[in-house]
């Protein structure tokens, strides 16, 4: 019996590795070898990871390899070979499935690479271990391996029947406690976007619904918080998507959120009408826009009608029940700094819950990797192969966009400045102009060197706009305090935010929580006023037309915003 370790270095602890679980469970009927999974993170020391693997004394270690962990794995494997010289080391995953022979030549500590889908290849490899004959390696399809000083590659295996996929998790989900749960109901993509590895695959294969729906019921039955579908284009086949969406709607447990990557312009009116009926928070959509420059869209082989996409996104937003994440990619062909600013403004106008500003990764096997010279794309030699410059985008502009991205992530995507930004951004020429100016201030004041507190971020924003004559400071102070209270009980605030009438309302707020007739009417789900005081906050806003706002931190949305109720001040008084 051989001891085989399936190992992963995840980007963060909260991530789980779906590939390891598929492989380990796919061969469960094979009891001839001991197969174990181990998950680490890229934030752990190499020596620690090597030490933990050494304790297991494996005969074979197979790593799941991606752009975020390959450089660390390149350093780890020579260490493993020195401390476990007889251990066979294999790699699998998208980062090594292309140019695998070159990868083996550059990394002599790695013995073989499984290319593409790994479930059947791994099973065949276990059969090879049974045989104990090195010659049988050449009989395994989708394998690149070294034998002596030579490297060989076998033919690519035909795609597997997805009905054979096992359910990847333990029935009680004890193996993914406090981690993100991933699931897939299809493999492949119908599109051929030039930056994506899915562009080299042919067609889409679907997991049969009679397998998918019972799997989803397991998530629902255990009230897991969130499930992220990793399907490249979940709604590319309407009947498949609608069957899943309707099942989740009809069997909704009131808790679980399901995240899907979709193409918005494929959604028709029937689907829109249905989506408006689902529970708020049941679904979450990620929609790739990437650019609104028509020349750029053509260059990367996308076929997206932004006007149609915008209409669909707006209709979904009007439903008020589905969070939408819209993505942009900087560094694409024919997109210079100004063009990207226009793309940013186009997407910002749709007011998605998240606006992801990413940078092009020139992935091996992708069309842009093949045409890098044609488009004059210069990128890092090491993973994740992020763009440095293009013909249209000099490095100085890439750097400027880096800090625009940081400001968008810090102030927009955090969800902590919703009302503040809603007031400030329209005071500038465009949304991009606001974040551009903020990023320049951020760097000029050396905030990019510092780690700031939540209140510190408000302080930066106040300093940024305090000399702007268009800003009504009193109005801004109220919006800022509202945003602070939306996430947590306001405690010690900066002096410039001491604008409220706390002293005037302090006794009345205290009396509100002391009067069961008042607080129980507003907060019937709390058993005592002590619990209500701990979990909620009552604040009075405004000068002439005052309003009382009751923030309930026991109920939050996906961005961490407290549920709140706006009342007349008379409603909180005896």
């Amino acid at each position: 019996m051989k001891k085989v370790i399936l190992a992963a270095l995840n980007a963060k602890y909260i991530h789980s590795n779906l590939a390891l679980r598929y492989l380990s469970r796919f061969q469960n009927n094979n009891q001839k070898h001991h197969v174990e999974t181990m998950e680490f993170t890229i934030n752990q020391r190499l020596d620690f990871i090597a030490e933990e693997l050494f304790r297991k004394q494996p005969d074979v270690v197979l790593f799941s390899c991606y752009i975020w962990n390959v450089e660390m794995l390149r350093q780890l494997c020579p260490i493993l070979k020195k401390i476990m010289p007889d251990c066979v080391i294999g790699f699998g995953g998208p980062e090594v499935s292309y140019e695998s022979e070159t990868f083996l030549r550059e990394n002599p500590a790695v013995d073989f690479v499984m290319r593409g889908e790994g479930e059947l290849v791994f099973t065949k490899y276990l059969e090879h271990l049974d045989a104990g004959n090195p010659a049988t390696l050449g009989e395994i399809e989708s394998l690149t391996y070294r034998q002596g000083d030579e490297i060989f590659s076998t033919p690519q295996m035909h795609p597997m029947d997805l009905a054979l996929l096992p359910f990847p998790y333990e029935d009680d989900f004890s193996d993914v406690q406090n981690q993100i749960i991933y699931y897939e109901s299809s493999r492949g993509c119908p599109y051929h976007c030039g930056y994506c590895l899915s562009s080299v695959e042919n067609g889409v294969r679907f997991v049969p619904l009679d397998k998918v729906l019972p799997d989803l019921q397991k998530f629902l039955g255990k009230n897991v918080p969130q499930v992220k579908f990793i399907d490249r284009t979940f709604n590319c086949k309407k009947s498949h998507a609608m069957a899943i969406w309707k099942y989740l709607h009809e069997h909704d447990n009131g808790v679980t959120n399901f995240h899907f990557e979709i193409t918005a312009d494929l959604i028709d009116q029937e689907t829109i009408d249905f989506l408006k009926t689902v529970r708020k928070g049941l679904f979450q959509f990620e929609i790739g826009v990437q650019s609104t420059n028509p020349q750029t869209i053509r260059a990367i082989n996308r076929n997206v009608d932004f006007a149609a996409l915008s209409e669909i996104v707006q209709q979904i937003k009007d439903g008020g029940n589905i969070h939408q994440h819209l993505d942009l990619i900087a560094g694409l062909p024919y997109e210079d700094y100004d063009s990207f600013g226009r793309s940013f403004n186009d997407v910002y106008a749709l007011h998605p819950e998240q606006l992801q500003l990413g940078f092009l990764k020139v992935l091996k096997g992708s069309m842009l990797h093949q045409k890098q010279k044609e488009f004059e794309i210069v990128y890092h030699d090491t993973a994740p192969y992020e763009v440095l410059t293009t013909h249209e985008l000099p490095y100085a502009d890439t750097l400027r966009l880096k800090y625009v991205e940081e400001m968008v992530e810090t102030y927009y995507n955090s969800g902590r400045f919703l009302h503040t930004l809603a007031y400030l951004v329209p005071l500038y020429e465009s949304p991009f102009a606001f974040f551009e100016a903020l990023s320049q201030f951020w760097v000029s004041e050396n905030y990019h060197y510092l780690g700031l507190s939540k209140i510190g971020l408000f302080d930066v924003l106040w300093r940024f706009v305090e000399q702007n004559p268009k800003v009504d400071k009193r109005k801004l102070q109220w919006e800022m305090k509202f945003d602070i209270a939306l996430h947590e009980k306001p405690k010690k605030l900066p002096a410039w935010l001491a604008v409220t009438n706390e002293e005037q309302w302090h006794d009345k707020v205290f009396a509100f929580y002391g009067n069961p007739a008042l607080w129980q009417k507003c907060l019937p789900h709390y058993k005592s006023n002590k619990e209500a005081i701990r979990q909620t906050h009552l604040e009075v806003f405004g000068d002439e037309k005052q309003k009382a706002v009751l923030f309930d931190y026991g109920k939050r949305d996906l961005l961490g915003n407290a549920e709140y109720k706006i009342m007349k001040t008379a409603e909180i008084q005896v």
Side-chain angles (χ1 to χ4, degrees):
M1 176 182 286
K2 300 288 187 181
K3 179 180 283 190
V4 181
I5 300 291
L6 298 170
L9 274 62
N10 299 326
K12 297 178 181 179
Y13 171 77
I14 61 169
H15 297 159
S16 59
N17 190 288
L18 186 58
L20 300 193
R21 289 170 170 78
Y22 275 146
L23 265 62
S24 65
R25 286 164 174 76
F26 191 79
Q27 53 72 46
N28 270 348
N29 292 329
N30 186 327
Q31 302 297 326
K32 296 180 181 178
H33 303 287
H34 176 74
V35 177
E36 184 177 342
T37 63
M38 297 182 72
E39 294 186 69
F40 305 95
T41 78
I42 58 175
N43 298 310
Q44 291 173 311
R45 293 181 299 105
L46 285 174
D47 285 346
F48 172 80
I49 297 170
E51 175 186 329
E52 292 301 297
L53 289 169
F54 177 81
R55 292 180 192 280
K56 297 290 185 179
Q57 285 296 296
D59 297 291
V60 179
V61 177
L62 181 60
F63 289 103
S64 179
C65 190
Y66 301 86
I67 56 174
W68 62 80
N69 66 16
V70 63
E71 298 305 328
M72 195 166 175
L73 289 174
R74 287 177 189 267
Q75 299 174 56
L76 175 65
C77 290
I79 298 173
L80 294 179
K81 276 296 185 183
K82 289 178 179 179
I83 60 178
M84 298 186 294
D86 296 327
C87 180
V88 177
I89 298 175
F91 275 34
E95 175 54 23
V96 292
S97 288
Y98 305 91
E99 302 182 2
S100 52
E101 292 185 10
T102 300
F103 181 83
L104 285 186
R105 280 193 290 270
E106 294 176 349
N107 297 275
V110 182
D111 298 297
F112 66 89
V113 169
M114 294 181 178
R115 307 187 310 272
E117 288 181 320
E119 291 87 358
L120 289 174
V121 187
F122 182 56
T123 301
K124 295 293 184 182
Y125 182 76
L126 292 181
E127 293 173 0
H128 154 75
L129 293 181
D130 293 342
N133 182 358
T136 60
L137 272 177
E139 300 173 6
I140 304 174
E141 294 177 305
S142 297
L143 197 72
T144 299
Y145 62 98
R146 69 174 75 251
Q147 207 160 55
D149 295 330
E150 295 189 72
I151 294 174
F152 302 91
S153 288
T154 62
Q156 196 68 23
M157 185 179 291
H158 289 296
M160 67 177 284
D161 179 359
L162 297 186
L164 300 175
L165 284 175
F167 184 71
Y169 302 102
E170 298 291 345
D171 289 341
D172 60 357
F173 301 100
S174 58
D175 55 329
V176 282
Q177 288 292 323
N178 303 314
Q179 290 182 299
I180 297 172
I181 294 176
Y182 299 99
Y183 186 78
E184 64 178 341
S185 71
S186 66
R187 287 182 179 176
C189 182
Y191 302 108
H192 299 281
C193 302
Y195 51 83
C196 182
L197 286 182
S198 293
S199 63
V200 301
E201 300 178 14
N202 293 317
V204 185
R205 290 168 294 139
F206 297 90
V207 181
L209 288 171
D210 60 4
K211 177 190 181 308
V212 172
L213 300 184
D215 283 355
L216 297 180
Q217 189 55 50
K218 294 178 181 178
F219 297 127
L220 293 166
K222 292 297 183 180
N223 289 344
V224 300
Q226 186 180 57
V227 176
K228 284 197 170 186
F229 277 69
I230 63 171
D231 302 45
R232 288 295 188 179
T233 306
F234 176 78
N235 64 323
C236 63
K237 183 179 178 182
K238 180 183 175 182
S239 60
H240 180 82
M242 285 297 288
I244 292 174
W245 282 341
K246 286 183 177 179
Y247 183 89
L248 296 176
H249 172 55
E250 292 165 1
H251 297 80
D252 182 16
N253 59 16
V255 175
T256 306
N257 166 263
F258 293 88
H259 178 104
F260 304 93
E261 187 172 337
I262 68 167
T263 295
D265 52 350
L266 290 181
I267 293 181
D268 58 18
Q269 193 59 49
E270 178 190 11
T271 307
I272 287 287
D273 293 341
F274 162 73
L275 291 174
K276 288 183 177 180
T277 68
V278 306
R279 169 179 62 84
K280 183 177 182 179
L282 177 61
F283 296 156
Q284 180 174 299
F285 291 161
E286 182 174 347
I287 300 168
V289 179
Q290 320 313 5
S291 172
T292 63
N293 181 329
Q295 189 178 12
T296 298
I297 292 299
R298 288 192 296 271
I300 59 175
N301 295 333
R302 281 180 69 79
N303 183 24
V304 176
D305 182 339
F306 183 69
L309 180 148
S310 299
E311 176 62 27
I312 297 300
V313 168
Q314 189 58 56
Q315 288 198 55
I316 293 173
K317 188 173 185 64
D318 290 344
N321 59 339
I322 296 176
H323 276 232
Q324 297 182 92
H325 297 187
L326 270 57
D327 300 338
L328 287 171
I329 298 177
L332 293 173
Y334 305 118
E335 184 108 89
D336 61 15
Y337 186 85
D338 292 336
S339 171
F340 186 84
R342 290 190 290 272
S343 292
F344 182 94
N345 289 332
D346 290 339
V347 173
Y348 194 94
L350 298 175
H351 300 292
E353 280 71 24
Q354 298 269 286
L355 199 172
Q356 300 292 342
L357 195 172
F359 287 78
L360 175 67
K361 312 293 190 296
V362 186
L363 304 179
K364 295 175 184 176
S366 68
M367 181 269 282
L368 288 184
H369 182 264
Q370 297 168 12
K371 294 187 175 183
Q372 57 185 280
K373 292 183 179 179
E374 176 184 339
F375 293 124
E376 298 181 33
I377 302 173
V378 178
Y379 58 95
H380 285 277
D381 293 332
T382 56
Y385 315 113
E386 190 167 277
V387 66
L388 292 167
T389 72
T390 69
H391 179 269
E392 293 78 18
L393 196 71
Y395 182 68
D397 287 346
T398 303
L399 195 58
R400 290 164 70 192
L401 289 177
K402 278 286 182 181
Y403 285 103
V404 171
E405 176 201 23
E406 185 172 345
M407 294 302 93
V408 171
E409 196 65 29
T410 300
Y411 286 101
Y412 187 88
N413 289 338
S414 67
R416 290 183 172 273
F417 303 83
L418 296 177
H419 298 82
T420 303
L421 293 182
Y423 171 68
L424 284 177
V425 171
L427 301 181
Y428 287 75
E429 181 181 347
S430 70
F432 186 74
F434 169 81
F435 286 102
E436 179 185 40
L438 177 59
S439 68
Q440 291 171 355
F441 175 79
W442 181 271
V443 173
S444 68
E445 296 295 315
N446 293 323
Y447 290 120
H448 60 304
Y449 288 119
L450 307 176
L452 297 172
S453 67
K454 297 169 187 175
I455 296 300
L457 293 173
F458 280 94
D459 192 54
V460 170
L461 205 53
W462 177 261
R463 289 194 59 211
F464 168 60
V465 300
E466 66 177 336
Q467 301 303 322
N468 188 330
K470 295 181 180 179
V471 173
D472 180 338
K473 292 184 179 178
R474 187 73 170 177
K475 169 71 173 173
L476 178 59
Q477 287 167 326
W478 284 117
E479 300 296 351
M480 285 185 163
K481 189 156 190 182
F482 192 97
D483 278 333
I484 292 172
L486 198 56
H487 273 264
E488 58 191 354
K489 282 178 176 287
K491 297 174 184 176
K492 185 176 181 180
L493 299 175
W496 54 264
L497 201 48
V499 298
T500 57
N501 39 13
E502 287 101 335
E503 293 185 3
Q504 175 188 344
W505 286 96
H506 180 272
D507 292 342
K508 295 174 183 178
V509 168
F510 185 80
F512 169 82
Y513 284 107
N515 188 331
L518 292 177
W519 74 262
Q520 287 180 353
K521 180 181 178 181
C522 301
L523 303 166
H525 48 288
Y526 291 117
K527 298 178 181 179
S528 67
N529 70 330
K530 288 184 179 180
E531 184 181 10
I533 292 171
R534 186 173 64 252
Q535 292 280 13
T536 68
H537 174 70
L538 181 61
E539 184 79 40
V540 177
F541 290 86
D543 295 324
E544 297 177 0
K545 296 181 180 180
Q546 293 177 331
K547 59 185 178 182
V549 184
L550 184 60
F551 299 92
D552 189 345
Y553 305 109
K555 296 182 177 181
R556 296 178 182 267
D557 65 16
L558 292 174
L559 295 178
N561 299 307
E563 186 175 290
Y564 64 89
K565 179 181 181 181
I566 298 176
M567 303 177 291
K568 296 177 180 178
T569 54
E571 295 179 72
I572 68 167
Q573 299 181 70
V574 179

